[in-house]
Amino acid sequence: MAVARLSLAEVDLSCPICCDIFRDPVVLKCSHSFCASCLQQYWSGKGSCRDCPLCRRETVEEPVASLTLKNLCESYIQESEAQDSAGELYCEPGELCALHGERLKLFCLQDKAPICVVCHTSRKHKQHECCPVNEAIVEMKEKITFALTSLQEKRESFDKMKQSYENIMTHLQAQAYFVERRTHEEFEKLHQFLKAEEEARMASLKEEEESKTERMRQKIEEVNNNIASLSDTIRSLEAEMALEDISLLHKYKKTMSSAQCTLQEPIVDQGCLIDVAKYLGSLKYMVWERMRGIIKYTPVTLDPNTAAPWLLLSEDLTSVRDSDDKQMLPENPERFDPDTGVLGHEGFTSGKHTWDVEVGENSAWVLGVAKESVLRKEKVSSVLKNGYLSVYFYHKMYFAGTSPLTRLNLKKKPQRIRVQVDCERGRVSFSDPADNSNIYTFKHLFSERVFPYFWVGCKQCPLRIEPLEVSVKTIDCS
């Protein structure tokens, strides 16, 4: 197999101006040699200044023809032609120009294609910037390596999202089991005549579980397909990277085109988890007409899908406390993290709403309402920003979350806090139900849905939503 002859002899016999073998070589007084025509063309653009193109030394003497160098060049050309004619049969595919039969020694940076020295002087490439193929191979490999790295990083991102989807699917199945267990316990208390409603709820739960599980499977399948596509592309690029000859440059355009990834980054959709609160929220109240003697209604049900990983909710979703350990929960968009907050399941845009919260000896808490648009991935300091209408207790002091803060001077430490929301009048009021004394009232026009908001910083004393006694009155409409 013939090897391209970029030897020391060829370099010594090449004109520094045209980079080709000397034609009618001449030598200057500074000992540098050039083609006679190349030197005259160089001087013609310099006016009266005649200097050496290499060392810039000015000369007044006429250049002297170098017969020895000319003879060496002619001998080299004859020898090269003889070797080329004998060795062309052994050239690697793609090493010769298809138009001129010359070796492809240059790479056109504009057209991204290897060319020969004749192509370089042609009209098509005359004004184009070129570089030696060896340099081009190194540079193109660097670019392909960059593209390969980008694809590998994207594949890692897809791998992580796949793991996230799998965690969500595991969690929603655990939620389904939890809901099923709690529902069975509640329905056992409601006797056999409520069996029909129990079965209806189970069917709804099963349908939601299967629907959302199937959605997660589809998501995982989609990510698997994307990963497979990226893996195929990466394997193709790795195969191209293994090439060490000119064929790498021939395939460069196609290789870089295939390296472009248009796949969208996967995201976790809202509502991907089991709507636990829909099944367990005020479950007894839903059947109060038939079991009114034992029914207690809780006006607010906590939404576990919004609870921070550090919070522990009771099984009936009516109390919340802080924890030492962070739970392994999905990072769904509804969830507060790192803020240790949780929302009520039902939001309000109209009407009047009241709920009492037992704070007891809790040493740090925040109560009130939060707008649906609040940022849920901020730290607890976000409570002081727009979007929250709340009062809070911290360092044995009470504050209203105004800007600036309003210090509240209470005559006694309340054990319960009553929150009243009047959407029509634009009021959120806080009071002590023990004596109905007002603590603070916000005046605010509701332009979006608001949700009950709870923040707790104490591990020993939970915040507990007080149930309401329910009475049934029959009205004779005759």
Side-chain angles (χ1 to χ4, degrees):
M1 182 180 296
V3 179
R5 298 183 309 278
L6 189 58
S7 62
L8 178 62
E10 183 173 343
V11 173
D12 293 338
L13 299 178
S14 298
C15 172
I17 297 178
C18 67
C19 299
D20 206 348
I21 302 300
F22 284 111
R23 298 186 301 274
D24 299 325
V26 294
V27 61
L28 298 179
K29 190 175 182 179
C30 59
S31 299
H32 290 135
S33 300
F34 307 93
C35 296
S37 58
C38 293
L39 183 61
Q40 291 301 325
Q41 185 178 2
Y42 172 77
W43 281 348
S44 64
K46 303 282 288 185
S48 59
C49 178
R50 299 178 64 177
D51 58 359
C52 174
L54 287 180
C55 65
R56 306 302 182 189
R57 179 178 176 182
E58 292 189 8
T59 180
V60 295
E61 295 85 355
E62 288 295 327
V64 179
S66 178
L67 297 179
T68 302
L69 185 56
K70 181 178 181 180
N71 292 335
L72 288 173
C73 291
E74 289 177 351
S75 299
Y76 179 81
I77 291 173
Q78 291 175 359
E79 180 183 352
S80 297
E81 290 176 349
Q83 291 179 354
D84 287 344
S85 60
E88 281 183 0
L89 294 176
Y90 303 96
C91 289
E92 290 289 341
E95 287 191 355
L96 297 179
C97 177
L99 296 177
H100 307 103
E102 297 286 337
R103 290 186 181 277
L104 299 173
K105 298 181 179 181
L106 302 174
F107 182 73
C108 179
L109 298 177
Q110 180 170 327
D111 293 332
K112 298 292 187 291
I115 62 175
C116 68
V117 292
V118 180
C119 292
H120 187 211
T121 59
S122 66
R123 181 181 301 174
K124 181 179 179 181
H125 299 281
K126 190 172 184 179
Q127 302 300 325
H128 294 178
E129 184 179 357
C130 298
C131 69
V133 291
N134 291 340
E135 294 181 8
I137 290 175
V138 174
E139 182 180 352
M140 296 308 113
K141 277 199 172 186
E142 290 177 354
K143 292 183 179 180
I144 295 176
T145 300
F146 178 81
L148 180 63
T149 302
S150 177
L151 290 175
Q152 289 171 335
E153 291 175 352
K154 180 159 288 192
R155 184 176 65 178
E156 290 177 1
S157 176
F158 275 90
D159 287 334
K160 291 180 181 178
M161 188 53 65
K162 175 188 175 183
Q163 184 62 49
S164 178
Y165 285 145
E166 291 174 344
N167 292 341
I168 289 174
M169 186 168 68
T170 301
H171 185 72
L172 69 87
Q173 289 171 345
Q175 285 183 309
Y177 171 78
F178 167 73
V179 172
E180 185 175 3
R181 176 178 63 82
R182 283 291 300 157
T183 304
H184 279 303
E185 292 174 355
E186 291 296 321
F187 272 84
E188 284 297 323
K189 301 175 184 178
L190 300 178
H191 306 296
Q192 290 300 320
F193 72 92
L194 296 178
K195 192 64 176 178
E197 181 165 343
E198 178 186 6
E199 292 174 351
R201 287 175 175 271
M202 290 299 96
S204 176
L205 171 63
K206 195 66 176 178
E207 179 182 355
E208 182 176 357
E209 179 191 3
E210 291 175 353
S211 174
K212 292 185 176 180
T213 300
E214 181 61 25
R215 188 189 307 173
M216 285 300 104
R217 288 197 181 101
Q218 293 174 359
K219 289 283 188 180
I220 292 172
E221 182 178 357
E222 180 182 348
V223 172
N224 280 331
N225 292 337
N226 290 338
I227 291 174
S229 176
L230 287 172
S231 297
D232 290 340
T233 303
I234 289 171
R235 282 194 295 271
S236 177
L237 289 181
E238 289 174 340
E240 295 294 334
M241 285 291 294
L243 298 177
E244 298 293 339
D245 52 31
I246 200 70
S247 60
L248 173 71
L249 302 182
H250 284 291
K251 298 179 180 179
Y252 175 72
K253 284 186 178 180
K254 183 177 180 181
T255 299
M256 292 306 294
S257 176
S258 64
Q260 302 301 316
C261 181
T262 59
L263 297 176
Q264 297 295 322
E265 293 283 350
I267 61 174
V268 178
D269 297 328
Q270 288 195 6
C272 61
L273 301 179
I274 295 293
D275 196 350
V276 178
K278 181 180 72 174
Y279 297 96
L280 301 181
S282 303
L283 182 59
K284 294 178 181 178
Y285 177 75
M286 302 303 295
V287 293
W288 63 274
E289 289 182 327
R290 307 182 67 173
M291 300 295 292
R292 57 182 178 267
I294 60 171
I295 291 302
K296 290 184 179 180
Y297 167 60
T298 305
V300 172
T301 301
L302 301 177
D303 186 351
N305 293 344
T306 67
W310 290 274
L311 297 183
L312 295 177
L313 275 59
S314 62
E315 288 195 342
D316 61 0
L317 306 179
T318 60
S319 67
V320 56
R321 65 181 178 88
D322 198 3
S323 173
D324 289 319
D325 301 320
K326 182 178 181 179
Q327 303 175 76
M328 298 302 295
L329 298 175
E331 295 184 4
N332 51 299
E334 303 95 328
R335 193 176 307 282
F336 285 95
D337 187 8
D339 178 15
T340 54
V342 60
L343 297 181
H345 177 249
E346 297 290 340
F348 319 126
T349 56
S350 61
K352 297 180 180 180
H353 310 272
T354 303
W355 60 94
D356 293 351
V357 182
E358 179 185 347
V359 296
E361 298 303 318
N362 199 300
S363 58
W365 50 260
V366 179
L367 297 174
V369 296
K371 295 181 180 179
E372 188 173 21
S373 62
V374 294
L375 300 177
R376 307 189 186 191
K377 305 302 180 184
E378 291 189 351
K379 295 183 179 180
V380 69
S381 59
S382 64
V383 173
L384 306 179
K385 300 179 182 179
N386 293 333
Y388 296 87
L389 303 173
S390 58
V391 296
Y392 63 100
F393 177 63
Y394 193 66
H395 288 316
K396 300 182 179 181
M397 294 182 291
Y398 296 89
F399 296 91
T402 58
S403 182
L405 297 176
T406 300
R407 175 77 178 274
L408 304 176
N409 297 314
L410 305 186
K411 295 180 179 180
K412 63 177 183 177
K413 182 179 180 180
Q415 295 296 303
R416 291 187 298 161
I417 301 293
R418 176 166 294 167
V419 184
Q420 295 175 298
V421 179
D422 188 337
C423 296
E424 277 67 33
R425 295 181 60 195
R427 298 284 191 274
V428 179
S429 302
F430 301 86
S431 60
D432 184 350
D435 56 9
N436 290 325
S437 59
N438 183 61
I439 296 176
Y440 193 81
T441 299
F442 287 92
K443 297 180 180 180
H444 182 79
L445 295 178
F446 294 91
S447 58
E448 61 177 287
R449 186 180 299 273
V450 295
F451 291 82
Y453 175 75
F454 306 83
W455 182 94
V456 59
C458 178
K459 302 176 179 61
Q460 291 75 27
C461 301
L463 298 179
R464 189 183 310 277
I465 303 167
E466 294 287 329
L468 301 179
E469 295 292 338
V470 177
S471 62
V472 179
K473 182 188 295 184
T474 302
I475 301 176
D476 187 358
C477 298
S478 58

